[in-house]
Amino acid sequence: MEKILSIIIPSYNMEKYLPQCLDSLLVDKIAELEVIVVNDGSNDGTLRIAKNYASKHPGSIRVIDKSNGNYGSCINKGLAAATGKYIKVLDADDSFEKKNVNAFVKFLETCESDLVISNYAIVDENGNVTKQYNFSSENRSSLSFEETEYHRKLNGFQMHAIAYRRGIFEGLNYLQTEGVSYTDMEWMFLPMTRVKTVSYFAKSVYRYLVGRAGQTVDASVSRKAVNQTMYVLVKMLEQYSEIKDSIDLPYRKYLEHRISMKAPSVYRICLLKQANPALYPGLMEFDRTVKNLFPKLYHALGYETIMFIPFYYVKYWRKKYSGDHPVTLLTVVNRFYRIIS
């Protein structure tokens, strides 16, 4: 039977969450699903659990076992193995809304759009919905990329909301960055330049767990890994610079928006949340890259403020940092920022 939806599940030490993730996919239309669990060198029971599910559902669930290479390497392996009409990424600590999966697969069977956007929920450890992202209240088909501009500018427009038609990857030579975290940003970047038509599925499909200790979205983790965020953003900036003159305006604006949406957090972490001089050399190198490849963003970042206070902290840092001592005022501001944020 033709597979309608390939689901790539990157998995590293997810024995606690993987059963719930896979259980959410055991639906009537499972024969039309291609569930690819990519075990990223786990040292717990993740591989054993994945193989157990695969043995029970050999026509729908399969396991790729590989050495540890971080998130992007899992996506690359899964993408290379996928054969379904559409592709969606599902993190192993998340799940699908089981009651809506059959309807989603049925929708995809007749859909021909390059991108399908569906609603999704943010849930806590107890499964309670803490936030709902609804992009459409009715199924809609074959809209142009331009017609979805409003939703593509929302903070909630993330990988949890999308499924790509697998055909858009042909000839794209898409490879997600390996060895670092936060490469899910890339899944929402370059492939979008191949999207011509968009459809909406009006029910919630993805359940995104927020609040798990050690998540990359956890503030304490993201602060420690800010250098990885900068590394991925530099890759995206280079891709943008390479293709910006060869793509139509709506796609150029979209790529610029994705970078502009994420880049300020790097400066906030380095200059306000941590105010750690050890981070400044890396930030300075990142800042130079932004200046060279995206001058408009470089200028805009100079006017970043702390909430309502007219203190342009990025511009101040650029002026005062010389590379051999901390920026004293930013150390003071850091204490204030911790109080108000």
Side-chain angles (χ1 to χ4, degrees):
M1 179 179 290
E2 178 190 12
K3 299 299 182 179
I4 301 301
L5 178 63
S6 294
I7 303 168
I8 302 172
I9 305 180
S11 306
Y12 176 71
N13 288 352
M14 284 286 116
E15 64 178 6
K16 179 180 177 181
Y17 299 97
L18 187 59
Q20 177 178 284
C21 175
L22 293 175
D23 283 343
S24 73
L25 305 177
L26 304 183
V27 297
D28 292 342
K29 283 188 170 289
I30 189 172
E32 296 174 61
L33 298 179
E34 179 182 53
V35 181
I36 305 171
V37 183
V38 185
N39 179 53
D40 192 33
S42 299
N43 50 36
D44 66 354
T46 297
L47 180 60
R48 172 183 52 79
I49 292 169
K51 285 184 174 180
N52 182 49
Y53 275 82
S55 68
K56 294 177 180 178
H57 306 277
S60 296
I61 301 176
R62 56 190 171 121
V63 180
I64 296 176
D65 184 28
K66 54 179 285 301
S67 59
N68 184 259
N70 220 307
Y71 192 87
S73 67
C74 294
I75 301 299
N76 294 338
K77 287 287 188 181
L79 188 58
T83 64
K85 180 181 178 183
Y86 283 90
I87 296 178
K88 192 168 178 66
V89 175
L90 172 61
D91 290 346
D93 55 348
D94 298 331
S95 59
F96 276 5
E97 187 64 68
K98 191 170 184 176
K99 64 182 180 182
N100 294 331
V101 175
N102 284 326
F104 183 54
V105 175
K106 187 175 181 180
F107 179 82
L108 296 178
E109 284 176 346
T110 58
C111 184
E112 297 299 331
S113 292
D114 296 324
L115 179 74
V116 176
I117 300 173
S118 54
N119 303 332
Y120 72 92
I122 293 179
V123 301
D124 62 20
E125 282 269 23
N126 297 317
N128 299 314
V129 175
T130 59
K131 190 167 186 176
Q132 180 74 39
Y133 284 100
N134 293 326
F135 298 95
S136 181
S137 59
E138 60 181 0
N139 291 350
R140 304 168 68 192
S141 297
S142 300
L143 302 172
S144 68
F145 187 75
E146 292 87 336
E147 288 177 287
T148 64
E149 182 177 15
Y150 170 74
H151 286 146
R152 288 186 282 103
K153 288 186 176 180
L154 297 178
N155 286 337
F157 186 65
Q158 303 296 343
M159 54 83 70
H160 324 292
I162 69 165
Y164 287 120
R165 186 175 61 81
R166 186 170 58 87
I168 71 165
F169 290 95
E170 295 176 3
L172 184 60
N173 297 319
Y174 176 80
L175 283 176
Q176 213 157 291
T177 303
E178 301 188 4
V180 297
S181 299
Y182 306 102
T183 59
D184 55 311
M185 295 188 289
E186 295 176 312
W187 187 249
M188 300 294 295
F189 199 67
L190 192 60
M192 284 288 175
T193 63
R194 290 296 189 90
V195 171
K196 303 299 182 185
T197 52
V198 181
S199 290
Y200 286 92
F201 178 71
K203 295 181 180 180
S204 187
V205 174
Y206 200 109
R207 290 171 62 84
Y208 172 33
L209 172 64
V210 172
R212 175 178 67 82
Q215 272 186 306
T216 54
V217 294
D218 184 285
S220 62
V221 176
S222 62
R223 283 197 293 269
K224 292 177 182 177
V226 67
N227 287 329
Q228 295 183 47
T229 302
M230 284 191 279
Y231 183 82
V232 176
L233 279 170
V234 166
K235 290 267 192 176
M236 293 165 64
L237 281 162
E238 291 171 346
Q239 289 176 341
Y240 159 76
S241 179
E242 183 178 340
I243 68 172
K244 64 183 176 67
D245 294 329
S246 62
I247 56 178
D248 292 340
L249 181 60
Y251 301 98
R252 188 162 68 247
K253 287 171 60 178
Y254 172 78
L255 297 187
E256 290 177 353
H257 172 71
R258 297 304 295 190
I259 295 171
S260 300
M261 187 169 63
K262 186 63 180 178
S265 67
V266 168
Y267 293 84
R268 284 194 296 271
I269 290 172
C270 292
L271 302 180
L272 299 180
K273 294 182 180 181
Q274 293 200 36
N276 181 1
L279 296 173
Y280 292 174
L283 181 61
M284 182 61 73
E285 184 177 347
F286 176 76
D287 197 50
R288 281 194 291 264
T289 301
V290 175
K291 184 178 182 179
N292 292 334
L293 302 182
F294 197 170
K296 183 170 65 174
L297 175 60
Y298 177 85
H299 176 76
L301 286 166
Y303 293 91
E304 281 286 306
T305 62
I306 306 170
M307 298 177 70
F308 53 85
I309 303 169
F311 171 54
Y312 304 126
Y313 67 93
V314 176
K315 180 182 285 189
Y316 176 83
W317 170 77
R318 286 170 177 167
K319 181 178 180 181
K320 295 293 184 180
Y321 176 59
S322 64
D324 57 2
H325 59 77
V327 180
T328 306
L329 182 56
L330 287 179
T331 304
V332 176
V333 169
N334 169 253
R335 300 192 188 104
F336 174 71
Y337 186 81
R338 289 172 181 269
I339 295 173
I340 66 173
S341 63

